[in-house]
Every structure is written in C-alpha cells, then in structure tokens.
Amino acid sequence: MPYRLDSDVIKRILDENNIVDVIEEFLPLKKAGANYSTNCPFHKEKTPSFIVSPDKQIFHCFGCGESGDSISFITKYKNYTFIEAAEYLAKKAGIILEEVNNYSNQQENKELTDRLYKINRDAAAYFYRNLKSYPEIINYLKSRKIDNDVIKKFGIGYAINQWDNLLKHLTDKGYVEEDILKAGLIISNQEKGTCYDRFRNRVMFPIFDVRKRIIGFGGRVIDDSLPKYLNSPETLIFNKGNNLYGLNLAREAVKDKSFILVEGYMDVIKMHTYGYNTAVAALGTSLTDNQIKLLKRYSKSFYIGFDSDNAGQNAALKALNMFKKNNIDAKVILINDAKDPDEYLNKFGKVNFDKLIENSLDYYDFLEYHFNEIYENYSKVEYISKIFDNIVNINSEIEKELIFEKLSSKVGVSKESIIKEYNKKEIKQRTFVKDTNPVKTQVQVQKITTSHEEELIKLILIENDFALQLKEIVNEDTFKDLEFYGIFKEMYEYKINNMSIDEDSLKKIIKNEPDAKVLLQYDDVDYDNLESLFKDCIKRLKIKYYEKKRSILSNNLTQSENSEESKDIMNEIFILAKKIKSTKEEVN
C-alpha cells in the first residue's frame, strides 16, 4: 500500500531522525569538533573522510563526494528505494504514515493540510486583533508582566466569550465548516446538528512548528474556571507528542547553549522575557521520545525547570530518565520558594534564577535529592531499590560504576554488594519463565507503560462511568504487563460495586504506584468531547501497548535457542500484528 510522502511528511521524518543517531546504527562515529567522522562506507579508505554534521543534518565524504541527508544515507547504505528508506525512518521515529490509494488522494490530503495551516493563521490573526477591543485582557497580561513586545513576539490573543464568533469570522472569510472542524477550532454538537467555538473567554497562545507554521492553539482561562488550559485536539497537522511550545524561537537561539525545558506556556514566555530564549515546553502532555529526538537535533545539553510541587518533581524525574535513555545528560533546576519559573522570576528576578541554574542537580544528585525522605525516614534498602529502579535507564556501564561508588559511600554498603544486588534485580526482570507441559513461553518483562494510561485515569476521575469500559482490559490476560493494570482493575471493581472514584479513593487504589497528584491534574481536557476522547484513548493505548509487547517478544526471539519456544513466540508476534492492524483501522 503506498503512503502519503509529500514534502511535509518528508520534512517531519527528517526532523524526527537525528542523522547522527541514524548513521551511528551502522558506523562507529568519532567526535571531530562540531561534527563526527568515520571511514566512508561507500569507498575504501584508511583515513576517515566521511563527515556527519548534526547542525546541518547532512553527511559528506571528502574522498568520494557522496553526500545527503538521513534518507539519502539509508538509500545508499541499505540499497533501498527512496520510499523504502522513508518508510524505514518513519517506523524508527514512531511516525504512522497515512496510506493513500492513488495520487489524487495524496493530492487531496496535501491541499487539506494547506487549508488547515491557512485556517489556523487566520484564526491567530483574529485572536490577536481581539485584544485591542478588550483592555481588561491586556491589563491581565500586563499584571503577569507580559508587555506589548512579548504579546507580538508570541502572537498572544484572546478568544471572546461567545459561542460561535470565530466560526462566523472564518466562514465569512470563505472557509467551510468541515475544514474548520478538522482544524480543531470548533466542536460539533451532533444532537443539534450545529457547531460552536472550542475556545471561549481564553487568552490564546498559537503553537508553531519548527517551520513557523501555526499548527494549533493553547487557551488559558483568566479566572478559576476549569480546565485552566485547553489545547487543540490532535489534527492532520498537530500532534502534541511531536512538537514543543517555543521551539520555533528556541532552536534559532540554542546554538552552543542548552535548552531549558519547562512545563507551561507562561513559563516559556516569562523565561524568554528574562533572556532565557532557549526555553521550551511540552504541549500539555508528558515528555515523549519523539520530542527528545526533535530537541536532540539542535542541542545535546538540557536543563529541566519543572514546577516545585510533587507532581512537578515526579515529572522532572521521568523526563530526566527519558533523557538518559537517549544518552543525553540533563540537569534539574530546583525552583525554591515559588511554584514555577514564572512565579520565581516575578518574585526574585534574573540574577537569582541564574544562581538556580548554577546550582542545578545532575542525574545522580537529583536522585539523591528526590529520594532523600526515604533515606532519612524509612530504610536504606528501599532507598537503594529506588536508585536501582532509575539507573536501569543509563546505557553507560562506566556511569553506573561511578554511581555504585557514590551509593556505596552514602549508605555504608560495599560497592561489590551493591553491584551484586543490582545484577540480581536486573537478571530477574529479564528471566524466561518456562512451562514444561505444554511448552509455552511466558516472558517476565518490566511493566509496559504507554502515554495514554494517565489520560484514561484522569478522564475516569471526571466521569466515573467510563470505568465500566475498562472491562475488556481488566478481563483479558493480554494486558497484565500494563504498568497501570492494577489501577485499572481496581477502578473497574469500584464502579461495578457502585463505589465513587474520587481523589481519596484514587489515593487508596494507587498504594505504592506513582504519586496521586500526577493523576489528579487534568487541566488539558476537552470537556465537550469526553466520550469520544475516552474511546479514542483506549484504542491508542492498545496500539502502543501491542507495539511495545511485540518489540519485547522480537528481542526475546533473537535470544531463544529452542525451536518450539521460538515458534510460540513467532505465533504471539503474529497475533499482536493482526491486533495492531485492526485497532489502527478502528482509529482511522
């Protein structure tokens, strides 16, 4: 089946595949100033003349003259066609390519994406012009120390408090309702057969991609209404997990600097206002691997400046581990005496924030800080276990060795004993459990997590009846490796027993699972579309879970030396592939 591979899709594939990572899979690269070098794979040579540039995202051989981008390299090295190379890299980056039946369909999709960009551009201009008519909104922004220059720089606007004002404005400009709906700017009321504006009475933040096109919006209330923040839904041109707020500005400034990852729009804006013009933020979701890959294109140095509450610090730990998995060092900025960078800069200014950056914590120091309460008030054994749970994300054995030395010194246990215990735990997580009659392989793996589990729990907290739709997951053994399987099971049982699922009951349910406060933050929820959002989330959870389980089984297949065992694994992989295909068809 052919895929849509227009210029926008190709650009996204190249953006989300760092050429250094792509080539390093096949060739050993050595740092050479700002670039990397190795012997050219396309001609025989003794002295390396093959150069890879992370800044330009190209390779060039000064010996034979071969050059190009990531796709060019794959076509030449693996003898692939252009389409095969693009598909290979799309799969590597987790990009699901859109199937098209013929050229006319492909052309239609290209024309639609162009219209969506134009609709967003005109909507942003409309929101921006609205500010002139609402001085109280300008005064609100000024109270947050956001002046006219900052408003202009970020294109900040205002969605007025009417049901269909934007809809009327865009249709008057000649856009059709169906396309405005596809842009995520309006919501359809199927019962009444009408549509209304998604964003009302909100300060509006346009979201730009790296090519400076407006792909979506974030809207913030100016009072205590919920949700506090509301983002555009996923559309043909907007994927939250593949973009970051502020990256269109930060990527031009980062050069030899570090990215500063913060949590919200206001944090990014305030950081830029105070001269920290490399600040970016995820878009209302947890940080994703694709976002890290995108950032990695422009820098390999990072600071994390998340909120100071427990939820923020847990999110910082999660982000820190994701950077480690991607072989990137990041440091955590501890925001003292304020809830976030926005508030801190308002209170204490740039000089003091510079000191926070100067005193930021590296990976191990943050682990030590984060789990200090366990060390001081509970037990050394639990403290060591927490450190073990995190350092599995480190790929460097040397770095682990250095951490074992520090850990040994802190807890007063020999390094040899710590290493022995760590190895036991790691081996246990990877062990095969074999059932002799009949021969069937069950693989004990680390819990599988997806980006949709927390979202499901948040939606159930808003609408308890959704818990009944967890029946398929909790009653099917397939999902028992899911990280939050136990939480889902108990929530389901609460509901069938007519028990309320609220903040207090959730805290009882999660027991030793991640902090409940993380799951109690549901600002970024589309309250007008809860039912469809929940069903879509379930399907996407299944796809991610099936794909990760298939990947684990594929790895196990390469380790298996038993033909019967291999056959069973292959059969399970085949079943998962069919489930992935059918579930994707449901989503589409």
Side-chain angles (χ1 to χ4, degrees):
M1 177 70 73
Y3 295 101
R4 183 170 73 89
L5 288 172
D6 58 32
S7 59
D8 288 339
V9 176
I10 296 300
K11 180 70 168 60
R12 184 182 165 199
I13 289 170
L14 292 174
D15 282 346
E16 295 182 23
N17 280 282
N18 188 324
I19 195 167
V20 175
D21 297 332
V22 171
I23 295 178
E24 209 163 27
E25 275 193 44
F26 308 100
L27 304 173
L29 297 179
K30 292 183 82 173
K31 198 84 168 76
N35 300 319
Y36 293 81
S37 68
T38 190
N39 287 342
C40 180
F42 306 121
H43 80 286
K44 292 182 179 180
E45 64 177 6
K46 293 182 179 179
T47 304
S49 61
F50 186 90
I51 304 299
V52 182
S53 169
D55 289 334
K56 297 177 181 178
Q57 288 293 300
I58 60 171
F59 69 87
H60 180 76
C61 177
F62 289 93
C64 67
E66 288 283 6
S67 63
D69 55 25
S70 296
I71 294 177
S72 302
F73 176 82
I74 294 298
T75 59
K76 292 178 174 71
Y77 189 86
K78 294 180 75 70
N79 197 27
Y80 279 1
T81 65
F82 178 87
I83 293 174
E84 287 171 339
E87 290 174 2
Y88 171 85
L89 291 173
K91 185 177 180 181
K92 179 178 169 63
I95 298 170
I96 298 175
L97 295 176
E98 182 184 350
E99 295 179 349
V100 292
N101 294 321
N102 51 49
Y103 176 78
S104 63
N105 284 350
Q106 188 172 353
Q107 192 62 25
E108 283 174 16
N109 279 311
K110 177 67 171 67
E111 290 170 0
L112 175 58
T113 58
D114 288 343
R115 291 199 300 275
L116 296 185
Y117 288 127
K118 288 177 182 176
I119 289 170
N120 281 344
R121 181 196 62 198
D122 284 340
Y126 166 79
F127 292 139
Y128 181 77
R129 287 195 300 271
N130 282 345
L131 282 177
K132 293 180 182 179
S133 304
Y134 292 87
E136 66 272 23
I137 306 302
I138 294 176
N139 291 335
Y140 164 78
L141 292 171
K142 286 182 177 177
S143 74
R144 301 291 300 265
K145 299 188 178 179
I146 297 173
D147 60 23
N148 289 334
D149 289 339
V150 178
I151 290 171
K152 187 175 180 180
K153 179 179 179 180
F154 286 91
I156 300 170
Y158 175 61
I160 67 177
N161 195 19
Q162 290 184 19
W163 281 96
D164 58 359
N165 204 269
L166 175 64
L167 173 59
K168 287 177 180 176
H169 172 77
L170 292 174
T171 51
D172 286 345
K173 288 184 74 69
Y175 296 113
V176 298
E177 200 171 86
E178 182 183 359
D179 287 348
I180 303 170
L181 191 64
K182 287 176 180 176
L185 289 166
I186 57 175
I187 294 169
S188 173
N189 185 327
Q190 294 180 349
E191 290 181 7
K192 296 182 179 179
T194 59
C195 290
Y196 56 93
D197 293 351
R198 179 180 296 275
F199 300 101
R200 303 179 302 279
N201 194 27
R202 291 177 181 272
V203 174
M204 298 300 296
F205 305 95
I207 300 165
F208 295 81
D209 65 10
V210 291
R211 296 172 70 179
K212 299 183 179 179
R213 299 172 301 189
I214 298 173
I215 54 177
F217 294 89
R220 188 194 193 283
V221 295
I222 56 174
D223 52 25
D224 295 326
S225 303
L226 288 176
K228 185 167 74 173
Y229 280 99
L230 182 66
N231 279 339
S232 293
E234 303 272 314
T235 69
L236 191 58
I237 62 173
F238 180 49
N239 183 301
K240 296 176 190 177
N242 293 330
N243 295 279
L244 295 107
Y245 184 69
L247 184 59
N248 59 306
L249 299 170
R251 78 183 186 100
E252 296 177 356
V254 73
K255 301 288 183 187
D256 298 323
K257 298 179 185 177
S258 304
F259 278 116
I260 304 176
L261 185 66
V262 294
E263 284 196 65
Y265 301 115
M266 296 299 288
D267 291 325
V268 170
I269 291 168
K270 190 57 58 67
M271 294 284 284
H272 279 253
T273 303
Y274 277 81
Y276 302 104
N277 54 2
T278 61
V280 295
L283 295 164
T285 61
S286 299
L287 189 68
T288 67
D289 276 323
N290 284 343
Q291 287 170 331
I292 290 177
K293 287 173 184 175
L294 181 57
L295 290 170
K296 198 176 172 183
R297 278 202 61 186
Y298 308 107
S299 177
K300 289 194 176 181
S301 179
F302 294 85
Y303 289 95
I304 299 167
F306 285 179
D307 292 1
S308 58
D309 60 9
N310 286 340
Q313 293 306 290
N314 285 336
L317 178 63
K318 185 176 179 180
L320 199 59
N321 279 320
M322 290 185 71
F323 280 120
K324 270 296 171 199
K325 281 182 182 177
N326 284 275
N327 299 313
I328 300 174
D329 290 322
K331 291 187 174 183
V332 178
I333 302 167
L334 299 180
I335 310 295
N336 301 316
D337 304 315
K339 65 178 181 180
D340 53 31
D342 175 27
E343 184 179 284
Y344 188 93
L345 285 166
N346 284 340
K347 281 184 175 181
F348 306 111
K350 187 177 190 303
V351 172
N352 286 306
F353 198 88
D354 284 341
K355 291 177 182 175
L356 294 187
I357 294 176
E358 189 179 331
N359 295 320
S360 58
L361 304 181
D362 65 17
Y363 184 75
Y364 178 73
D365 288 340
F366 183 73
L367 292 184
E368 207 172 47
Y369 165 83
H370 192 73
F371 296 116
N372 187 58
E373 186 179 349
I374 292 174
Y375 176 78
E376 290 187 347
N377 301 318
Y378 295 96
S379 75
K380 289 182 180 179
V381 172
E382 187 178 351
Y383 173 79
I384 292 169
S385 179
K386 290 290 185 186
I387 301 295
F388 285 173
D389 288 341
N390 286 275
I391 64 174
V392 294
N393 297 293
I394 298 174
N395 296 316
S396 166
E397 294 304 319
I398 294 173
E399 187 176 356
K400 282 182 185 175
E401 180 87 5
L402 293 171
I403 286 178
F404 291 143
E405 284 182 6
K406 291 178 181 178
L407 192 55
S408 169
S409 176
K410 181 175 179 70
V411 300
V413 176
S414 73
K415 188 175 80 170
E416 292 72 24
S417 296
I418 286 174
I419 293 174
K420 187 177 180 181
E421 192 64 28
Y422 176 79
N423 288 337
K424 275 167 56 180
K425 185 168 186 174
E426 193 173 36
I427 289 167
K428 187 177 180 181
Q429 288 172 331
R430 296 178 180 179
T431 300
F432 281 91
V433 176
K434 298 178 183 177
D435 196 356
T436 55
N437 189 25
V439 176
K440 184 171 175 64
T441 303
Q442 284 188 314
V443 186
Q444 295 299 309
V445 296
Q446 293 181 6
K447 289 293 184 182
I448 297 174
T449 185
T450 77
S451 57
H452 303 287
E453 292 172 76
E454 290 182 6
E455 191 173 353
L456 283 178
I457 291 171
K458 291 171 185 177
L459 289 168
I460 291 169
L461 286 171
I462 298 170
E463 178 51 72
N464 281 191
D465 285 345
F466 290 158
L468 294 173
Q469 296 184 40
L470 295 173
K471 182 177 180 179
E472 182 183 357
I473 288 178
V474 300
N475 288 340
E476 194 176 315
D477 286 346
T478 308
F479 295 99
K480 285 198 172 174
D481 292 326
L482 198 61
E483 184 179 7
F484 287 178
Y485 175 83
I487 296 177
F488 288 150
K489 190 174 177 65
E490 290 205 43
M491 290 179 100
Y492 174 71
E493 288 172 355
Y494 262 60
K495 187 58 193 170
I496 61 176
N497 289 311
N498 293 318
M499 296 167 65
S500 174
I501 305 170
D502 54 21
E503 182 174 341
D504 292 333
S505 58
L506 179 65
K507 287 178 180 176
K508 291 177 185 176
I509 289 170
I510 65 170
K511 297 168 188 169
N512 294 323
E513 296 288 349
D515 195 314
K517 288 187 179 178
V518 176
L519 302 175
L520 292 167
Q521 292 185 332
Y522 40 87
D523 291 341
D524 183 36
V525 172
D526 179 1
Y527 280 73
D528 298 308
N529 254 330
L530 291 177
E531 176 76 22
S532 59
L533 182 61
F534 187 86
K535 288 180 178 177
D536 183 71
C537 200
I538 283 271
K539 290 171 185 173
R540 293 185 186 279
L541 177 147
K542 287 181 182 179
I543 292 169
K544 291 291 184 186
Y545 176 80
Y546 292 149
E547 286 176 339
K548 289 186 179 184
K549 191 155 189 173
R550 181 176 63 178
S551 176
I552 291 169
L553 287 167
S554 297
N555 290 335
N556 291 333
L557 186 61
T558 62
Q559 299 171 22
S560 175
E561 297 177 358
N562 183 299
S563 59
E564 283 298 316
E565 182 177 81
S566 297
K567 186 177 177 182
D568 287 338
I569 295 174
M570 288 176 68
N571 185 52
E572 194 167 350
I573 290 173
F574 177 73
I575 292 169
L576 285 170
K578 288 176 68 176
K579 287 182 177 180
I580 291 167
K581 186 175 185 296
S582 63
T583 312
K584 281 183 178 178
E585 287 171 354
E586 288 178 30
V587 171
N588 292 332

